[in-house]
């Protein structure tokens, strides 16, 4: 039973008893009886007024609590003239003003934070208390190329993205650089924040691929240009002298040595020109091209090498036409480089397959697998696993495919087949 009800019952009972006693004691003396009844009525009136005075602060408090429960911080009370009640009203109004200001400030900060996260050039994943992805900003969706149904509400280990697989056990507050088996390079950091008294985690992923490639190109481009300038100048002058002197050399052995020196200088000049070609690679001139026809040309070009090595070289084409916008000459150079590397990795009796779909092109072989250590360096400038290799083929391949905007990767799969994949439609998920 509420306090107000108990109070009213108590006052009613007391005055009922007083009325009964007054009636019994003063019923013979009417003036005193009437006076007593009037006093009792006055007492009841005063009790009701006191009850109303007590009830007024409680009513204000109840209204204020209801407004706060409804998160309505616009409700304020006006002064009543009662000093005690007005003191309570002033405290409430001051508290409501502070709550409204704090709420407005938090809403503005949250709005700013949401806009900042949405526009951030770095991918951001936020996790719930069970370390499942609860939110992803637009950059994260673009980077991972996954729909929300495959991303939100799942732990990293269950998403199946190659990059997220590396980040599953990433320690907190320790930035790390991750390089996948291609040219993709990322910097990632796992952080923590407090939400309702408990720790939650977030994950920053910054793509460094374009920045690293641009830095590499500037560095090796400067070195190559300097080397080519010095070598070509020297070779040009030396060969000019040797060509003039060669007919006048009487000794046949010396004349032969001069010829060897000229040829060696020409090879050195060609060697430097190949390096310079990487720096001077022209911008692709893409036109809509018949990809199966291009692959047939590459097959016909490389078939003699495959046959000489005793290696099976095959081409698998889809039933539908496949046309892509590309620079035929440059992409042909890419395919020749990749098929040549695949043939060199195979032994007699093994196979190299070119498989085309509307989504991608696979060049796969069951030859020598690529180790994880080598896979992370394959597309680095001038890296080669061959004793006589210059590391130019895959560097040139990388530049051509990047200039075309094609995604690509090179890795040995668990089944032992090594696959070079060129992905035509980069807007489609793996």
């Amino acid at each position: 039973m509420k306090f107000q009800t108990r109070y009213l019952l108590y006052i009613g009972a007391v005055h009922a008893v007083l009325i009964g006693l007054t009636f019994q004691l003063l019923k013979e003396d009417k003036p005193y009886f009437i006076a007593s009844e009037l006093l009792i009525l006055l007492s009841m009136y005063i009790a009701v007024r006191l009850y109303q005075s007590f009830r007024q602060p409680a009513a204000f408090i109840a209204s204020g609590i209801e407004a706060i429960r409804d998160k309505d911080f616009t409700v304020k009370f006006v002064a009543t003239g009662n000093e005690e009640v007005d003191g309570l009203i002033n405290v409430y109004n001051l508290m409501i003003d502070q709550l409204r200001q704090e709420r407005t400030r938090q809403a503005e900060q949250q709005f700013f934070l949401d806009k900042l996260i949405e526009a951030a050039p770095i991918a951001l994943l936020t996790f719930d208390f069970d370390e499942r992805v609860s939110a992803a900003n637009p950059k994260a969706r673009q980077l991972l190329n996954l729909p929300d149904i495959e991303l939100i509400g799942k732990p990293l280990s269950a998403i199946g993205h190659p990059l997220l697989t590396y980040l599953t056990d990433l320690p907190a507050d320790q930035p790390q650089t991750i390089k996948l088996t291609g040219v993709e390079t990322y910097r990632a950091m796992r952080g923590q924040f407090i939400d309702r008294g408990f720790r939650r985690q977030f994950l920053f992923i910054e793509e460094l691929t374009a920045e690293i490639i641009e830095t590499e190109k500037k560095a090796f481009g400067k070195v190559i240009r300097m080397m080519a300038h010095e070598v070509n100048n020297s070779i040009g002058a030396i060969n000019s002298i040797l060509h003039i002197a060669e007919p006048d050399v009487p000794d046949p052995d010396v004349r032969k040595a001069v010829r060897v020196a000229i040829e060696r200088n020409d090879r050195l000049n060609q060697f430097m020109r190949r390096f310079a070609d990487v720096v001077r690679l022209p911008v692709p001139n893409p036109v809509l091209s018949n990809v199966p026809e291009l692959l047939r040309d590459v097959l016909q070009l490389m078939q003699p090498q495959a046959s000489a090595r005793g290696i099976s070289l095959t081409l698998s084409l889809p039933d539908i036409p496949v046309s892509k916008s590309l620079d035929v000459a440059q992409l042909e150079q890419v395919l020749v480089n990749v098929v040549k590397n695949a043939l060199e990795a195979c032994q007699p009796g093994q196979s190299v397959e070119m498989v085309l779909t509307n989504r991608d092109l696979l060049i796969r072989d069951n030859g020598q697998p690529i180790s994880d250590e080598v896979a992370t360096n394959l597309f680095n400038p001038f890296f080669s696993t061959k004793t006589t290799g210059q590391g130019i083929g895959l560097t040139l391949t990388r530049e051509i495919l990047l200039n075309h905007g094609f995604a690509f990767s090179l890795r040995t799969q668990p089944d032992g087949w090594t696959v070079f994949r060129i992905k035509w439609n980069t807007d489609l998920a793996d």
Side-chain angles (χ1 to χ4, degrees), residues 51-66:
Y51 168 77
Q52 292 176 344
S53 299
F54 293 148
R55 182 71 182 84
Q56 191 174 28
F60 280 121
I61 293 172
S63 299
I65 291 174
E66 187 67 23

Side-chain angles (χ1 to χ4, degrees), residues 397-410:
T397 295
R398 181 191 77 173
E399 295 302 309
I400 292 174
L401 293 178
L402 288 176
N403 290 342
H404 277 77
F406 295 152
F408 59 95
S409 62
L410 174 58

Side-chain angles (χ1 to χ4, degrees), residues 215-416:
T215 302
E216 286 180 351
K217 288 176 66 175
K218 289 181 179 179
F220 71 69
K222 184 176 180 180
V223 172
I224 289 174
R225 283 191 294 269
M226 180 183 66
M227 292 171 57
H229 175 76
E230 295 299 327
V231 171
N232 290 338
N233 284 349
S234 300
I235 288 176
I238 293 171
N239 271 4
S240 178
I241 295 172
L242 292 176
H243 278 297
I244 294 173
E246 182 182 9
D248 299 326
V249 175
D251 191 331
D253 291 336
V254 176
R255 189 182 304 114
K256 183 178 179 181
V258 171
R259 171 50 48 186
V260 170
I262 292 174
E263 293 174 354
R264 175 58 186 143
N265 283 342
D266 289 338
R267 287 194 294 271
L268 181 59
N269 193 24
Q270 185 179 7
F271 174 81
M272 289 306 304
R273 190 176 295 114
R274 291 188 63 198
F275 277 102
D277 287 342
V278 178
V279 181
R280 295 196 300 263
L281 183 67
V283 176
N285 181 27
V287 295
L288 191 62
S289 306
N290 186 324
V291 180
E293 183 178 345
L294 172 61
L295 293 175
R296 291 189 189 99
D297 292 343
V298 173
L299 177 68
Q300 187 174 8
L301 179 64
M302 302 303 295
Q303 190 68 64
Q305 293 189 34
S307 299
R309 293 172 175 268
I311 299 169
S312 170
L313 177 60
T314 59
L315 173 61
S316 175
L317 299 175
D319 296 331
I320 59 173
V322 179
S323 297
K324 301 297 175 184
S325 182
L326 49 86
D327 187 313
V328 174
Q330 291 191 8
L331 200 68
E332 184 180 53
Q333 182 65 47
V334 167
L335 298 177
V336 169
N337 283 339
V338 175
V339 173
K340 177 175 176 292
N341 288 342
L343 292 174
E344 291 175 349
C346 291
Q347 299 295 327
Q350 294 181 323
S351 302
V352 176
E353 301 174 355
M354 293 187 288
V355 181
L356 176 66
T357 70
N358 190 49
R359 292 169 55 98
D360 50 25
L361 168 64
L362 306 180
I363 301 174
R364 52 197 304 263
D365 68 82
N366 59 352
Q368 180 69 29
I370 301 173
S371 66
D372 293 338
E373 181 181 358
V374 171
T376 58
N377 295 297
L378 278 175
F379 292 95
N380 289 347
F382 317 129
F383 175 83
S384 177
T385 57
K386 305 171 188 175
T387 56
T388 59
Q390 302 165 12
I392 295 178
L394 285 180
T395 302
L396 189 63
T397 295
R398 181 191 77 173
E399 295 302 309
I400 292 174
L401 293 178
L402 288 176
N403 290 342
H404 277 77
F406 295 152
F408 59 95
S409 62
L410 174 58
R411 62 172 63 93
T412 298
Q413 298 179 335
D415 60 4

Side-chain angles (χ1 to χ4, degrees), residues 163 166-167 169-179 185-190 204-206 208:
L163 175 59
Y166 282 89
L167 302 177
D169 300 322
L170 184 68
D173 301 322
Q174 295 183 19
Q176 291 190 10
T177 300
I178 297 97
K179 186 171 183 179
T185 306
Y186 305 90
R187 180 186 293 118
M189 187 191 76
R190 186 188 291 267
F204 280 129
I205 307 174
E206 181 182 7
L208 303 176

Side-chain angles (χ1 to χ4, degrees), residues 97-108:
D97 286 338
Q98 292 177 344
L99 286 175
R100 185 173 60 254
Q101 293 174 4
E102 183 65 25
R103 185 186 184 191
T104 302
R105 182 164 54 249
Q106 288 184 353
E108 291 172 347

